[in-house]
Amino acid sequence: MITIQEGGIASTVQDRGRFGHYHIGMPPSGAMDKYAHTVANYLVGNNADAATIEMTYQGITATFDEDAVIAITGADMSPTLNGESIGTWETVAVDAGDELELAFATEGARAYLAVAGGVDVPEVMGSRSTYTLVGIGGHEGRGLEEGDELPIGEADGTPSELVDTQLDDEYVPSYADEDTVRIVIGLTSYRLTDESKERLCEAEWKVSAEADRTGYRLEGPELEFKEREQPFGAGTDPSNVVDLGYPIGSIQVPQKPIVLMQDAVTGGGYSTVGTVISADRGLLAQRQTHKSVYFEAVDVDEAIAAREARDDRLETIRAEIESTN
Amino acid sequence: MANEITPKDLPEPRYEYGADDHVFVELAEEMSFTANFKAMAITQQVAERDIDGIIENCPANASYMLRIDPGVIHPDDVIAELKEIEAELDVENYEWETRVIDIPVLFEDPWTHETLMEFRDRHQDPDGTDLEYSAELNGFDDVDSFLEAFVSAPHMVTMVGFVPGLPWCFQMVPRDQQLEVPKYVEPRTDTPSRAVGFGGAFSVIYPVQGAGGYQLYGRTPVEVLDVDQELADFSDSMVFPNPGDILNYRPIDREEYDAIREEVEDGTYEYTYKRVNFSTEEFFESPLEYNDQLTEDLA
């Protein structure tokens, strides 16, 4: 059992997500930075789909009621165990009674705490991910608060043998430096003027204060739409289209761009003009408020290659960790 | 008044990549039954084929979207299969099994009235109500005759989304009888749950309290989302409406609203609905008669 002493700013239980229900308006939810979530799980001997605790900007303080094996990845929140500093991107043993404390994120926005056996909250529609809007999944469908008790699942194998496993530096992302996310232009990008399409990829965008699991609202230059007589059913604003489905990672432009994230609305009537590739969504999720972001347009095969490269990298990491066990 | 709906000639579908893991297909820029039936039919055929690597399969109003695992299937192979399905389809002669559902509504209810009055400064017509504005804009003399038109024919669920359980519905009447209103100038920050709204050419039911930009007309006592799945109709899914369902709005008074609400709250309410085979051919041929047939003996 993990007992929460302080919940942080927005800490939730997340796994890889909830699928198969998008057509009834259910977004996938799931970890915002899949790479960090997956590596944390691998470090403690879990499968990638075990649930972790996702922390945003300010981490949790928690005590362990049992011996456990943990790993913390993602944003650096300077974790300590009983006041002693512990490493990130590595496997750490905790004893029953130990207190884990995480501070404010210095680099990146989201950290992941994995525990061998996974956070064992009940599955809702096949996933342990928290979706707070309707209050399902995770711990009571909400962010973590003082006094919450999270059960730890049964671990496979002997995770204690993984303690002190460190992820090779070459696999640790540098969240402070990664300011470019790749996108595939398309969807209803025909609504934008050619100049605005170019501007989308040339401009410096700043992550606004409205950037959360639902969407990342970006500040930058104005984008303009092509003039047209609005088609029946679309609505009167030039940014309006007949309501359609929004891909996760898609960039909608009510005026300024909003990149839709894991808990986003599943559809609506704003023009969407491109989609952040799956391999880079986690990088955007780690960009702090007021930091810059640039979009780089790639084609679909480059997007698939980037996803394969990330998956291969995760496979290599898993193999290397397993070989130390 | 026209008593048939001529199927539209649609442009060539636009196949688009939503990065590496989504395929988005726009069937038309304009809303029409032909476009929606096509979205419905293609996604139904995709489901039937049970294609490996398809993770999500979502019809929308005049488009549809798939989420795929590109590690299993390349988006171009998905698109090739979608084109094949499209070529084989005849949306003017297509059937699917669906439900015609009774949706009791208390129009001009006190809750949405309070909300719409609160947000008058974000509305096109700050001195009226949403209903007065909609009635006038659509050429009706008064609110009652506008509401009469709104409930005179059922509304098809053409898309479910935004948030879990929110149905977008398109009224099943010829184009010259379709109502149309803009959304609020600035969206509201609040809307009562179960509010019945209208924006563009779509009616909606808001599942939960929250932001919204549609004109507000009334409130239904029945739930479209039941997260705890306490009501019998939600035993399989926490969301009741599905794309392709047909909603029949029925005006009720406060007494009936309160009685239904009581049943919902004590967990005994059951939706009134009937299963039908919806035929696009019969609908296109004589929609008004077909609607009567669909809604007959419902409530």
Side-chain angles (χ1 to χ4, degrees):
Chain A
M1 193 83 81
I2 303 170
T3 304
I4 304 295
Q5 309 297 335
E6 282 172 46
I9 292 174
S11 309
T12 53
V13 177
Q14 298 293 342
D15 60 14
R16 284 199 291 190
R18 181 173 287 115
F19 299 101
H21 310 282
Y22 212 82
H23 64 288
I24 55 164
M26 189 68 71
S29 302
M32 291 274 277
D33 182 347
K34 292 282 190 319
Y35 181 82
H37 162 85
T38 304
V39 172
N41 270 326
Y42 287 168
L43 281 165
V44 298
N46 291 343
N47 287 323
D49 55 3
T52 63
I53 297 175
E54 178 181 276
M55 296 163 275
T56 311
Y57 288 116
Q58 168 68 56
I60 57 167
T61 302
T63 52
F64 287 80
D65 303 358
E66 59 196 270
D67 294 353
V69 173
I70 64 165
I72 297 162
T73 62
D76 189 354
M77 295 186 184
S78 318
T80 59
L81 198 60
N82 302 323
E84 297 282 320
S85 179
I86 56 168
T88 56
W89 304 93
E90 66 175 78
T91 315
V92 176
V94 297
D95 297 327
D98 282 356
E99 184 178 76
L100 175 72
E101 191 176 347
L102 292 103
F104 206 79
T106 49
E107 271 187 23
R110 287 158 217 282
Y112 292 85
L113 166 63
V115 54
V119 180
D120 195 20
V121 294
E123 286 190 1
V124 177
M125 300 167 101
S127 166
R128 295 185 169 88
S129 288
T130 315
Y131 175 44
T132 56
L133 180 77
V134 299
I136 61 165
H139 182 77
E140 297 179 0
R142 57 168 172 78
L144 299 177
E145 293 169 4
E146 184 189 344
D148 288 344
E149 294 183 336
L150 303 174
I152 298 172
E154 193 75 29
D156 288 338
T158 46
S160 55
E161 288 175 12
L162 292 171
V163 169
D164 294 333
T165 303
Q166 273 189 345
L167 188 73
D168 200 303
D169 274 350
E170 68 169 304
Y171 299 129
V172 177
S174 169
Y175 296 123
D177 303 333
E178 297 284 358
D179 61 3
T180 302
V181 296
R182 288 165 287 182
I183 65 173
V184 175
I185 300 266
L187 306 175
T188 57
S189 58
Y190 63 82
R191 293 294 306 121
L192 287 180
T193 62
D194 291 343
E195 299 76 40
S196 282
K197 260 190 252 184
E198 276 171 31
R199 204 170 297 150
L200 184 70
C201 292
E202 284 164 359
E204 177 183 13
W205 298 101
K206 288 231 192 291
V207 177
S208 84
E210 284 177 69
D212 56 21
R213 292 187 47 84
T214 303
Y216 266 51
R217 193 178 283 259
L218 304 174
E219 298 287 345
E222 297 286 316
L223 297 175
E224 279 161 14
F225 297 92
K226 283 186 187 155
E227 292 289 327
R228 70 165 173 180
E229 192 181 320
Q230 286 292 88
F232 181 71
T236 41
D237 195 88
S239 67
N240 290 164
V241 291
V242 167
D243 303 75
L244 38 71
Y246 292 153
I248 296 298
S250 64
I251 306 162
Q252 58 161 242
V253 281
Q255 206 24 265
K256 301 281 175 67
I258 303 174
V259 184
L260 297 167
M261 306 300 263
Q262 297 299 123
D263 288 348
V265 295
T266 63
Y270 288 118
S271 191
T272 44
V273 298
T275 311
V276 175
I277 69 171
S278 63
D280 287 357
R281 286 172 208 154
L283 288 178
L284 180 61
Q286 293 289 6
R287 288 309 278 166
Q288 295 182 342
T289 301
H290 308 309
K291 289 272 167 71
S292 303
V293 173
Y294 298 88
F295 291 131
E296 180 194 340
V298 296
D299 67 26
V300 68
D301 285 314
E302 290 171 279
I304 291 171
R307 182 189 179 99
E308 282 168 357
R310 184 209 48 193
D311 289 350
D312 289 349
R313 173 179 277 235
L314 285 168
E315 265 319 296
T316 308
I317 290 168
R318 172 148 70 174
E320 283 182 15
I321 291 167
E322 273 175 5
S323 70
T324 67
N325 197 351
Chain B
M1 283 199 288
N3 185 20
E4 59 176 48
I5 297 175
T6 314
K8 288 247 170 213
D9 285 328
L10 299 181
E12 277 298 299
R14 285 196 321 103
Y15 293 88
E16 292 276 335
Y17 307 109
D20 45 292
D21 56 351
H22 298 82
V23 170
F24 167 74
V25 185
E26 189 177 68
L27 298 166
E29 290 183 33
E30 176 184 81
M31 182 60 186
S32 66
F33 279 107
T34 309
N36 183 253
F37 292 165
K38 200 165 171 184
M40 213 82 80
I42 292 174
T43 50
Q44 285 168 11
Q45 294 303 309
V46 168
E48 210 151 283
R49 289 195 182 194
D50 199 16
I51 305 160
D52 233 16
I54 306 274
I55 294 169
E56 304 284 0
N57 177 16
C58 319
N61 288 325
S63 61
Y64 63 96
M65 188 186 91
L66 306 176
R67 180 168 183 152
I68 63 166
D69 179 350
V72 178
I73 189 164
H74 192 285
D76 289 339
D77 295 332
V78 175
I79 290 170
E81 190 143 359
L82 295 174
K83 286 181 174 168
E84 192 186 293
I85 292 172
E86 207 244 335
E88 288 171 10
L89 264 185
D90 176 9
V91 287
E92 290 167 38
N93 189 359
Y94 188 79
E95 278 192 26
W96 68 85
E97 199 199 313
T98 188
R99 302 174 299 180
V100 184
I101 305 165
D102 175 54
I103 304 286
V105 185
L106 178 61
F107 289 104
E108 301 185 271
D109 65 291
W111 307 281
T112 58
H113 183 76
E114 190 184 331
T115 303
L116 67 92
M117 291 314 283
E118 191 184 329
F119 291 100
R120 250 23 244 162
D121 57 334
R122 302 181 183 211
H123 196 274
Q124 291 87 347
D125 179 11
D127 299 325
T129 66
D130 292 7
L131 268 169
E132 285 163 3
Y133 172 71
S134 304
E136 195 189 329
L137 204 63
N138 284 276
F140 290 89
D141 293 336
D142 51 46
V143 162
D144 286 347
S145 45
F146 176 79
L147 280 177
E148 173 57 32
F150 188 78
V151 301
S152 66
H155 297 228
M156 179 169 279
V157 178
T158 49
M159 175 177 176
V160 177
F162 185 63
V163 296
L166 184 144
W168 267 277
C169 312
F170 194 50
Q171 196 173 19
M172 298 164 68
V173 290
R175 171 68 176 272
D176 64 356
Q177 292 159 51
Q178 253 157 1
L179 309 170
E180 201 181 7
V181 293
K183 296 153 200 171
Y184 272 46
V185 177
E186 279 282 320
R188 298 176 303 273
T189 52
D190 192 31
T191 309
S193 63
R194 296 179 276 104
V196 173
F198 196 59
F202 298 97
S203 64
V204 298
I205 303 172
Y206 288 90
V208 289
Q209 187 179 0
Y214 282 39
Q215 310 286 335
L216 296 177
Y217 298 164
R219 195 181 195 196
T220 174
V222 306
E223 305 288 346
V224 288
L225 172 73
D226 176 10
V227 166
D228 299 321
Q229 295 179 274
E230 279 168 354
L231 293 162
D233 289 311
F234 292 82
S235 57
D236 293 338
S237 168
M238 59 178 74
V239 162
F240 188 71
N242 279 305
D245 281 343
I246 295 164
L247 306 189
N248 193 50
Y249 296 118
R250 177 172 59 90
I252 56 169
D253 59 18
R254 180 64 191 263
E255 200 182 338
E256 188 172 356
Y257 179 94
D258 289 340
I260 295 173
R261 201 57 214 149
E262 207 167 294
E263 283 183 23
V264 171
E265 276 166 12
D266 68 20
T268 58
Y269 180 79
E270 287 184 39
Y271 266 106
T272 303
Y273 66 90
K274 64 175 186 181
R275 291 191 187 280
V276 295
N277 269 321
F278 180 79
S279 152
T280 61
E281 191 186 15
E282 287 185 60
F283 176 68
F284 280 128
E285 218 167 71
S286 54
L288 304 186
E289 285 82 356
Y290 191 52
N291 288 340
D292 286 344
Q293 197 183 316
L294 288 170
T295 54
E296 204 171 40
D297 307 324
L298 183 62

